Amino acid sequence: MKDRTGEMQLSSEGKTVRLVFPAALEIGGAKALIAIVGRALRKKPPMLVLDAGALERVDAAALQALVVAWQAAKDAGVTARWQGCSANLVSSAKLVGLAGATGIEP
């Protein structure tokens, strides 16, 4: 399965669903992020990988959407994990107090 919403790309690799983020995720992409994660979770994959290797810029609205996506995965019983979090993503999440709620830091 491949789906493109803005610059985010969703794909399936066996039993794993991977969401690849673009270099920037801002308020304009927050709604799309929630929608694409919702579609992925309806299929009940065992694993959701949030690939943030290219993600360098993120704003507060996008971080809030990441919290919603992380919680939705937990609520659906889907194991979610981050791959390739940039230092900018981690520091932005820490700055606004959402590193734990996004799953970026336990």
Side-chain angles (χ1 to χ4, degrees):
M1 163 182 61
K2 285 207 176 211
D3 187 3
R4 249 180 120 66
T5 303
E7 294 183 44
M8 287 176 275
Q9 186 171 8
L10 184 70
S11 63
S12 289
E13 302 160 2
K15 294 183 177 186
T16 299
V17 172
R18 177 178 304 276
L19 177 59
V20 180
F21 293 100
L25 182 61
E26 296 168 331
I27 194 168
K31 185 176 179 180
L33 168 63
I34 293 169
I36 201 168
V37 168
R39 274 196 307 256
L41 294 177
R42 279 194 291 278
K43 297 182 183 292
K44 299 284 187 194
M47 172 74 71
L48 173 64
V49 175
L50 302 168
D51 185 341
L55 187 57
E56 289 294 326
R57 281 192 343 258
V58 63
D59 68 8
L63 286 168
Q64 291 169 343
L66 291 172
V67 170
V68 170
W70 187 262
Q71 189 61 50
K74 285 176 59 177
D75 291 348
V78 174
T79 301
R81 72 175 177 84
W82 285 95
Q83 179 177 322
C85 290
S86 69
N88 287 343
L89 174 59
V90 174
S91 66
S92 295
K94 285 180 179 180
L95 181 67
V96 295
L98 295 177
T102 56
I104 291 172
E105 281 193 342

